[in-house]
């Protein structure tokens, strides 16, 4: 029996921003010496931008004033709807004193120990999102696993 096709809905920008505001974390994608890198980050939306904290290291070094993407996803209505939002833009360290003082009060706490005193801002150039109804669990073969080739 074939699965019923459910159309993918392209989400308007305001809906993407609403979903971003409620997302617990995302994945920051950047280029590291010619190779893709993906890092889980928690973030907050502030004035149409995305703010995250990090330490001195790979994320901060390779995302500074560079093209990056942030992706987050989730489900709605008890799993009846799956969504994904992707933001493309450039990230930079927040350096201006007044802006940094405002940013420190954001509800953005590090997840892991260690110094995470670098606040970075992703300024979006594009934001896209989509949602769809997932296939019912009963339509997936039980025990299906990936196999090495």
């Amino acid at each position: 029996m074939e699965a019923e096709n459910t159309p993918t809905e392209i989400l308007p920008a305001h809906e993407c921003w609403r979903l971003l505001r409620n997302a617990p974390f995302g994945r920051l994608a950047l280029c590291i010496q010619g190779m893709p890198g993906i890092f889980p980050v928690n973030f907050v939306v502030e004035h149409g931008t995305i703010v995250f904290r990090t330490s001195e290291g790979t994320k901060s070094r390779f995302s500074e004033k560079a093209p990056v993407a942030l992706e987050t996803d989730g489900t709605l209505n008890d799993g009846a709807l799956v969504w994904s939002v992707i933001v493309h833009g450039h990230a930079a360290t927040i350096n201006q004193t007044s802006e940094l003082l405002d940013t420190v009060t954001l509800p953005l706490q590090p997840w892991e120990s260690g110094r995470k005193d670098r606040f970075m801002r992703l300024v979006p150039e594009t934001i896209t999102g989509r949602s769809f109804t997932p296939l019912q669990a009963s339509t997936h073969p039980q025990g299906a696993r990936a196999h090495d080739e």
Side-chain angles (χ1 to χ4, degrees):
M1 179 158 81
E2 276 190 44
E4 180 181 322
N5 284 337
T6 57
T8 298
E9 178 185 353
I10 304 303
L11 300 174
H14 72 276
E15 180 65 9
C16 292
W17 283 110
R18 185 187 71 75
L19 292 166
L20 278 172
R21 280 185 191 89
N22 294 308
F25 68 92
R27 292 159 209 85
L28 183 70
L30 51 121
C31 188
I32 303 169
Q33 299 176 337
M35 297 295 290
I38 301 173
F39 300 88
V41 293
N42 59 328
F43 63 91
V44 295
V45 173
E46 183 196 43
H47 304 298
T49 67
I50 295 168
V51 176
F52 61 95
R53 289 177 73 164
T54 189
S55 60
E56 300 292 331
T58 303
K59 272 187 299 212
S60 61
R61 187 170 47 254
F62 289 99
S63 63
E64 184 69 39
K65 298 181 182 168
V68 297
L70 179 102
E71 189 274 344
T72 188
D73 49 52
T75 61
L76 296 170
N77 303 333
D78 294 325
L81 196 64
V82 175
W83 62 269
S84 172
V85 171
I86 299 174
V87 178
H88 290 96
H90 284 76
T93 300
I94 297 171
N95 287 320
Q96 291 184 331
T97 303
S98 62
E99 190 179 357
L100 189 55
L101 289 173
D102 289 342
T103 305
V104 186
T105 63
L106 293 173
L108 186 58
Q109 299 303 315
W111 283 352
E112 67 180 331
S113 62
R115 291 183 63 164
K116 306 285 188 225
D117 52 4
R118 181 179 290 245
F119 287 79
M120 299 193 75
R121 183 180 308 280
L122 189 167
V123 177
E125 292 175 8
T126 64
I127 182 168
T128 58
R130 65 189 192 113
S131 66
F132 59 91
T133 304
L135 295 174
Q136 296 299 318
S138 61
T139 63
H140 294 286
Q142 285 189 341
R145 299 181 189 268
H147 299 281
D148 288 343
E149 292 184 35

